[in-house]
Amino acid sequence: MTATGILAALRERDRTGRGQRVDMALLDVGVAMAANQAMNFLASGRAPGRLGNQHPNIVPYQVFPCADGHAIVAVGNDAQHRRFCALIGAPELAEPPHDTNPGRLAHRATLIPAIAARTARMTKADLLAGCEAAGVPAGPINDMGEVFADPQVIARGMRIEPGGVPGLRTPLRFSDSPLALERPSPRLGQDQGAADPWAG
């Protein structure tokens, strides 16, 4: 948020020639980040309860168990819900009262366990391949080993080993500005010179 505010202020300076102070508060940002829940409260006057990773207004839109881990499924409309239920082998879960999002919201407590029972029998790879083929947004929840084995993470070179020291590459990439990725992070006390108590 602060970086966005700074960029907006710089753009305004380009337009008007005047600089300005950007005032950011962590509390303000925390409140603003509660967008869905805040708008639900402001519209209804009812404070929402805990939902974990579930979406407050769209069902099913959350983490589901798989035989070998977990995946996030983000069903965004009724047509996606029908396709999702078909791919998990439960087309009956797309029939009334689950055929519309308001119905799914009202029956979340029974619908979600029924879906979870089906996804728990599938591997992450099978569930995600089915979602991909059906046009249902979904993604894996990976452990760090799976993250660094991901073909896109490898292709983007996110793991670096300058000087034999493993580390993470910055996600920033510029068309013209080269980055200094060949230097490892400094060792503890490296810049203390001769006074370094850890020097070997």
Side-chain angles (χ1 to χ4, degrees), residues 65-180:
C66 295
D68 57 351
H70 293 84
I72 299 172
V73 178
V75 172
N77 58 51
D78 298 339
Q80 288 178 354
H81 181 65
R82 285 190 299 275
R83 295 193 304 270
F84 177 63
C85 289
L87 78 90
I88 64 170
E92 70 280 4
L93 295 179
E95 296 172 0
H98 307 123
D99 55 331
T100 66
N101 190 63
R104 294 191 294 276
L105 273 169
H107 296 89
R108 184 196 302 255
T110 55
L111 176 62
I112 296 306
I115 292 173
R118 296 299 183 111
T119 63
R121 300 178 198 151
M122 303 173 75
T123 64
K124 283 193 295 187
D126 287 344
L127 178 63
L128 296 174
C131 286
E132 178 76 19
V136 175
I141 296 180
N142 291 328
D143 64 27
M144 293 312 296
E146 291 169 319
V147 168
F148 287 105
D150 184 276
Q152 185 65 8
V153 173
I154 293 169
R156 296 290 287 174
M158 288 303 296
R159 177 180 176 154
I160 58 174
E161 296 201 29
V165 179
L168 293 174
R169 184 192 193 288
T170 177
L172 295 171
R173 293 174 186 266
F174 301 100
S175 60
D176 291 327
S177 302
L179 301 175

